[in-house]
Amino acid sequence: MIPRLESLLPRPAPDGAPRMTPGNPERYVPAEVERKWQERWEAEGTNRFTEAELRSAEAPFFNLMMFPYPSAEGLHVGNIYAYTGADVHGRFHRLAGRDVFEPIGFDAFGIHSENFALKAGIHPMDLIPRNIATFTRQLRRIGGMFDWHHAVDTTTPDYYRWTQWIFLALYHAGLAERVEAPVNWCPSCKTVVANEQVIGGLCERCDTPVGQRRIAQWFFKISRYAERLLSNLDTLDWSEPTKKAQRNWIGRSEGAMIRFPLRESAQGEGPDGAAGEDAIEVFTTRPDTLFGATYMVLAPEHPLVDRVTTPACARAVARYRDTVSRMDLVARKKAGKAKTGVFTGAHCVNPATGAPIPVWIADYVLMEYGTGAIMAVPGHDERDHEFARAFGLPILRVVAPEGEDPGAPLEEAYPGEGTMVNSGRFTGTPTPEGRGAVVSWLSRLRLASPQVNYRLHDWCISRQRYWGPPIPIIHCGACGAVPVPESDLPVVLPRVEDFTPDDSGTSPLARVEAWYRARCPACGGEARRETDVSDTFLDSSWYFLRYPSSHENERPFDPELNRRWLPVDSYIGGQEHNVLHLLYSRFVTMALHDLGHLEFEEPFVRFRAHGLIVREGAKMSKSRGNVIVPDPIIESHGADALRLYLMFLGPYTEGGDYRDQAIQGPFGFLKRLWETVTPVSELGDGPPHPDVERKLHRTIRQVSAQIPELQFNTAVAAMMEYLNAVRRGDRKAARAEVEPLVIMLAPFCPHIAEELWERLGAEGSIFETASWPEFDPEKTIEEEITLAVQINGKLRGRIAVPAGSGEAEALARARKEANVARYLEGAELRRVIHVKDRLLNLVVSVAQERP
RNA sequence: GCCGGGGUGGCGAAAUGGUAAACGCAGGGGACUUAAAAUCCCCCGGGGGCAACCCCUUAUGAGUUCGAGUCUCAUCCCCGGCACCA
């Protein structure tokens, strides 16, 4: 890339000449360098904010990364990868002049630790501190810029006191309610599992098939926020796939509510009950197909089922409902299984046609979505079609795609758009228009209204387990569910030696009478504490709010600190949290905003998901036994080399393949850098060599642009190229050539950068005394560049031209190039395309065959 | 099925519509060494040619363009997520 350099610099030394300067016997020993600087950072508080500094920081930058779940196995390379990328980003901004707050903590409650503790026979209260100690040691060892002074641990009463406080805040705002609901029940974990934690019918944690139970549980009414959670996404600087995943999860759909009046009795010929009390309401996105609704389906659990079922059908209906209720929620919802259902004996009136249509129940209709009832349009909905075929129900065409005969029978459902047919006054209307037209027609008769529905359902936070913060509620026979007064927080989780879950459907805490017996805060009578604990997602939905205020005892967070530090400037984490964690955090933040506790309603200004690390092409997992533990690598090559390698092995947001041998490259780079810079006394004092300088400014330009975009792999490659240029031909480096490189490398390899920076004569940490190098655009310009010459789009030669040469100049030089001339000979030049400083394409018509 | 992300040398990868394979790993050859390690130098997509050079090559097939890894359409395959959501 620096064509002239080789000619100007000393020739390469003859083969085999030792590269190490004789006067420089000191080798790069990462372990020593890293120990020295980690100790110094700690002793001097390099990465720590004092209370006063937090309050007065002028250019605050909150650099957040998803805090770890401290498992017993310790951190693996995948975790290190995530944290290193975030740390590189934070360190860069610090060198660029920001006051970077980079806290870390531990998300240590939850079923995972609890299960491990049960299996290992260690109490979680003993296990977790051990795990945290291991994680802390490992995190320190990789040289993250963490402010340990502000670490949080979600299992400490100091923390979960405020988790409970948030529950109460939402409770008082009417955003928490206790509802009996069918829930997924894992017979192995012996607890309720959230829908989103059931993967393909199996428990996310233990792969046991999940069943169904009805339990009274606490729900947060996140669905009230669906519209805001959706529309705010447009304002966020988040990775697009993450936003898309949230949009899908929220699942907004526009349609209408339509009322189907019930026919009072089968034999009644009288006027079909005008929009009276007895009607079945359905939600549909396709009111334009209303004329094709030939039957209705209620969810088996629908409250109207008992009312409408005729005596003749009662037994079959009861039997069917029983079968369905035995099925777990997930199997129940599994798509693709054969349609089943039974007729209730009742009929409704299609409000568009006035025709009576039968009412069925079937498990393909879900109680939790819409109204739990549908109008079935077998002509234009695949599921309804399949059902109608199975039970011999009429299938009517009411939509015809362009060119289709309105009378053509339907072999399969046609769900697309077209023209309405067989639809009375609407026949001939294009379906997109028809939707609104049908609704406005029926809305005058109070039989329909426009409606928006969301797939997002309320957030169940109850867990019938031990290892979590108790839900701060007291149940009183007289007063009902009474919130624990704020002044009584925290409701401390007692140490219970036997916390094995049982199949009672209640938490192990329900066996600890001394703990759950309480006085009702309202009436003072005998009462009982809520024995369920809350979901781990609640712990992690607000931890970032706590970091700056981690020492605050009187309130969850200090509004003044929040004003300075929040919302979070940069959040980096795994895509496995694209939906739930990020959505719950947004919801809690939004709710706290509405309650006047926060000034912002979106917690994370910028979010980027990092990729996943695989090993030698295979996914890393304990069962495969191919999990990479960082410690031996740090011992052999150093944390800096590991960090650099991880950042180099592929695009950060896409992840990459960890190959054991490949660390040699980055490690060798660090060794060469060390040998290039030390001993400092042998560095040249003059200005940089012009070619090296040009390369330097180009490198600064590239690295400065790419680090904020998390394009670490190419930034590292640029620095490698630059060092290669500095060392080319075994030349001696000048101080001015290496100093900027040391600074640019510092975010990736902070220890060696500190060491070299000190040897270069600085006093104090590079992160406090250095500033990010600037590039001069003037100095990035090459005087002479290589221009590619194409004939008819094929590369036929390269010519050297002065930078900025015009077309005439380029063409003249190209003609002199032998190979180019060969192609021009006897050909007619029809067109010249000249891209300045890049390429010259000569379009010729071939007069004769080339030799 | 739907929604995302991908498919480029032996491998990890790089490339504002403008010189495909930067940077690195592995491999081959060489220097140094009693030897090895370490280090350094050279080579390294496929084919043809003594060479100058030529042909082919970014999953496949079409298209747009002076020019396509990059844009458009269709097809195949891999990874991740969601999945009877009316």
Side-chain angles (χ1 to χ4, degrees):
Chain A
M1 295 318 274
I2 306 180
R4 298 194 308 140
L5 197 53
E6 267 164 286
S7 56
L8 290 176
L9 297 176
R11 289 270 110 205
D15 278 355
R19 284 304 175 281
M20 189 103 80
T21 319
N24 178 23
E26 195 184 354
R27 286 179 50 234
Y28 169 47
V29 183
E32 281 174 20
V33 172
E34 290 171 9
R35 192 181 331 107
K36 168 180 168 182
W37 285 97
Q38 285 172 15
E39 279 167 11
R40 194 173 295 184
W41 293 334
E42 180 62 22
E44 296 182 359
T46 309
N47 302 322
R48 191 164 69 220
F49 277 87
T50 63
E51 177 83 17
E53 284 164 346
L54 267 187
R55 290 190 184 281
S56 64
E58 279 173 21
F61 186 93
F62 194 152
N63 189 43
L64 182 70
M65 56 202 86
M66 287 182 182
F67 64 165
Y69 195 103
S71 66
E73 297 87 39
L75 290 167
H76 56 81
V77 162
N79 305 123
I80 307 269
Y81 179 68
Y83 294 128
T84 301
D87 186 59
V88 169
H89 186 232
R91 287 185 182 273
F92 165 78
H93 281 291
R94 179 161 176 185
L95 282 163
R98 304 292 295 268
D99 298 312
V100 178
F101 180 46
E102 189 173 298
I104 191 78
F106 303 97
D107 185 18
F109 264 138
I111 201 166
H112 192 74
S113 309
E114 187 178 321
N115 286 346
F116 183 90
L118 282 167
K119 213 168 114 193
I122 314 170
H123 196 279
M125 288 184 177
D126 303 325
L127 173 73
I128 293 301
R130 260 192 247 174
N131 292 353
I132 287 180
T134 305
F135 269 57
T136 303
R137 184 181 53 73
Q138 287 182 304
L139 286 167
R140 283 181 190 275
R141 216 172 165 197
I142 62 162
M145 196 177 68
F146 301 117
D147 185 344
W148 289 101
H149 195 58
H150 287 88
V152 303
D153 166 0
T154 58
T155 66
T156 59
D158 280 353
Y159 182 88
Y160 69 69
R161 169 183 184 180
W162 303 113
T163 306
Q164 292 170 336
W165 178 90
I166 287 172
F167 174 90
L168 293 177
L170 268 60
Y171 175 86
H172 290 301
L175 288 169
E177 66 175 348
R178 194 159 183 255
V179 192
E180 186 173 293
V183 290
N184 298 301
W185 177 262
C186 172
S188 165
C189 299
K190 292 175 175 162
T191 188
V192 169
V193 215
N195 270 338
E196 52 267 30
Q197 290 164 338
V198 178
I199 311 295
L202 304 176
C203 172
E204 178 186 60
R205 305 186 192 281
C206 68
D207 284 347
T208 306
V210 170
Q212 189 183 145
R213 275 201 179 188
R214 287 185 79 86
I215 295 181
Q217 317 213 55
W218 288 97
F219 284 82
F220 281 162
K221 296 184 179 174
I222 189 174
S223 59
R224 279 202 201 166
Y225 281 75
E227 188 58 46
R228 258 163 93 195
L229 289 167
L230 179 68
S231 57
N232 274 11
L233 284 173
D234 296 333
T235 69
L236 300 178
D237 175 14
W238 285 22
S239 9
E240 212 42 57
T242 306
K243 290 209 245 184
K244 185 80 184 179
Q246 296 223 342
R247 286 191 188 106
N248 289 346
W249 191 260
I250 293 166
R252 181 182 203 272
S253 54
E254 271 179 45
M257 192 75 88
I258 300 182
R259 293 170 63 85
F260 283 67
L262 271 165
R263 265 178 45 142
E264 280 314 319
S265 62
Q267 70 274 26
E269 282 300 322
D272 293 316
E277 306 77 48
D278 282 331
I280 294 176
E281 290 200 323
V282 304
F283 172 73
T284 178
T285 54
R286 293 297 301 272
D288 52 315
T289 62
L290 176 58
F291 286 79
T294 54
Y295 63 101
M296 311 277 298
V297 187
L298 298 178
E301 306 88 345
H302 198 288
L304 277 177
V305 174
D306 283 329
R307 286 253 304 280
V308 306
T309 303
T310 60
C313 297
R315 272 185 59 192
V317 166
R319 204 165 48 232
Y320 185 73
R321 294 179 93 184
D322 188 52
T323 312
V324 170
S325 71
R326 247 190 273 278
M327 232 183 289
D328 67 88
L329 284 181
V330 177
R332 158 70 195 278
K333 289 205 283 185
K334 194 166 179 174
K337 68 180 201 286
K339 294 284 177 289
T340 59
V342 294
F343 178 44
T344 62
H347 288 79
C348 273
V349 175
N350 182 324
T353 62
I357 58 175
V359 178
W360 287 64
I361 63 172
D363 69 353
Y364 81 92
V365 174
L366 308 173
M367 194 57 223
E368 71 228 36
Y369 185 78
T371 62
I374 60 155
M375 63 177 211
V377 184
H380 305 283
D381 180 281
E382 277 170 40
R383 299 152 297 180
D384 298 343
H385 187 92
E386 201 188 321
F387 190 82
R389 288 262 179 232
F391 294 98
L393 292 158
I395 298 168
L396 221 67
R397 176 189 286 280
V398 292
V399 178
E402 192 149 354
E404 180 82 71
D405 171 15
L410 287 152
E411 290 308 316
E412 54 179 6
Y414 172 69
E417 305 290 350
T419 305
M420 292 171 70
V421 297
N422 303 319
S423 295
R425 61 205 292 185
F426 297 99
T427 295
T429 312
T431 47
E433 285 167 41
R435 302 208 233 290
V438 169
V439 174
S440 62
W441 170 56
L442 286 179
S443 68
R444 286 193 287 277
L445 307 170
R446 299 188 178 283
L447 287 168
S449 57
Q451 175 94 15
V452 173
N453 238 304
Y454 301 91
R455 208 194 71 120
L456 179 68
H457 41 67
D458 285 334
W459 172 15
C460 176
I461 58 136
S462 296
R463 295 292 179 272
Q464 292 68 38
R465 297 287 294 220
Y466 169 67
W467 192 231
I471 293 172
I473 288 286
I474 293 175
H475 297 286
C476 167
C479 312
V482 180
V484 171
E486 201 186 310
S487 54
D488 289 354
L489 297 183
V491 178
V492 176
L493 178 72
R495 182 171 177 120
V496 176
E497 292 308 329
D498 177 20
F499 54 94
T500 320
D502 55 37
D503 55 6
S504 64
T506 58
S507 157
L509 289 174
R511 300 195 297 260
V512 189
E513 192 181 344
W515 180 78
Y516 69 66
R517 285 177 64 135
R519 293 262 151 216
C520 170
C523 70
E526 289 266 320
R528 183 187 166 105
R529 287 190 187 283
E530 168 72 58
T531 52
D532 282 357
V533 299
S534 59
D535 182 6
T536 324
F537 275 118
L538 182 56
D539 306 327
S540 58
S541 70
W542 74 282
Y543 73 108
F544 47 91
L545 299 173
R546 183 64 180 168
Y547 278 138
S549 309
S550 58
H551 299 289
E552 180 67 61
N553 287 321
E554 303 304 315
R555 44 194 177 176
F557 34 76
D558 180 332
E560 197 191 315
L561 287 174
N562 277 357
R563 235 185 322 274
R564 190 169 294 272
W565 290 97
L566 285 145
V568 166
D569 295 279
S570 166
Y571 194 20
I572 288 177
Q575 18 206 306
E576 67 274 18
H577 292 118
N578 268 355
V579 175
L580 298 179
H581 161 64
L582 290 172
L583 199 63
Y584 292 153
S585 299
R586 294 180 61 213
F587 161 66
V588 166
T589 301
M590 220 174 259
L592 291 175
H593 163 82
D594 290 354
L595 297 173
H597 297 296
L598 299 173
E599 291 180 20
F600 50 93
E601 62 175 53
E602 285 293 343
F604 315 124
V605 172
R606 187 173 193 256
F607 171 77
R608 293 291 182 276
H610 62 252
L612 218 70
I613 290 288
V614 299
R615 182 185 203 177
E616 319 266 332
K619 200 169 178 174
M620 251 187 274
S621 71
K622 249 193 299 175
S623 54
R624 279 176 213 264
N626 66 346
V627 175
I628 305 160
V629 181
D631 304 68
I633 305 167
I634 293 175
E635 270 148 39
S636 55
H637 295 84
D640 281 337
L642 177 60
R643 290 169 60 107
L644 190 64
Y645 171 50
L646 288 173
M647 295 301 98
F648 177 67
L649 58 65
Y652 185 64
T653 51
E654 282 162 44
D657 191 355
Y658 186 97
R659 292 167 63 253
D660 295 355
Q661 268 188 318
I663 195 174
Q664 288 307 334
F667 183 54
F669 168 77
L670 292 182
K671 283 197 282 193
R672 286 190 294 277
L673 176 70
W674 180 275
E675 283 165 18
T676 308
V677 178
T678 62
V680 166
S681 58
E682 291 180 15
L683 286 171
D685 275 331
H689 181 284
D691 287 331
V692 172
E693 184 181 45
R694 192 150 36 237
K695 187 82 186 161
L696 171 63
H697 284 262
R698 290 169 163 247
T699 304
I700 297 172
R701 179 173 64 190
Q702 183 178 344
V703 173
S704 307
Q706 293 194 320
I707 293 180
E709 295 305 319
L710 314 184
Q711 291 160 350
F712 302 132
N713 57 330
T714 44
V716 172
M719 289 189 280
M720 289 176 166
E721 265 188 74
Y722 175 65
L723 183 65
N724 290 345
V726 168
R727 290 166 60 88
R728 183 155 304 159
D730 202 30
R731 62 184 288 275
K732 270 260 166 291
R735 167 182 285 268
E737 292 167 356
V738 295
E739 273 182 355
L741 178 60
V742 169
I743 301 171
M744 285 191 283
L745 187 70
F748 296 89
C749 304
H751 313 88
I752 191 175
E754 289 274 29
E755 182 64 27
L756 294 176
W757 189 244
E758 185 181 63
R759 286 170 189 241
L760 283 164
E763 280 185 38
S765 167
I766 189 170
F767 296 97
E768 288 172 344
T769 57
S771 53
W772 192 258
E774 307 248 341
F775 72 93
D776 179 350
E778 287 289 313
K779 291 185 176 158
T780 62
I781 298 169
E782 301 279 357
E783 286 159 20
E784 188 181 82
I785 52 107
T786 305
L787 196 68
V789 183
Q790 297 181 338
I791 309 290
N792 290 343
K794 288 203 176 208
L795 183 70
R796 295 302 179 193
R798 295 162 219 259
I799 54 172
V801 294
S805 295
E807 184 176 309
E809 163 94 30
L811 186 56
R813 292 201 184 213
R815 285 185 190 280
K816 287 184 200 141
E817 179 72 16
N819 201 40
V820 173
R822 212 157 63 80
Y823 280 89
L824 292 178
E825 192 183 335
E828 186 192 349
L829 185 59
R830 309 191 81 109
R831 195 171 160 189
V832 177
I833 286 131
H834 178 237
V835 181
K836 188 169 279 185
D837 293 349
R838 294 214 62 117
L839 146 152
L840 185 72
N841 186 12
L842 307 178
V843 184
V844 301
S845 57
V846 187
Q848 61 187 74
E849 199 61 26
R850 299 299 338 150

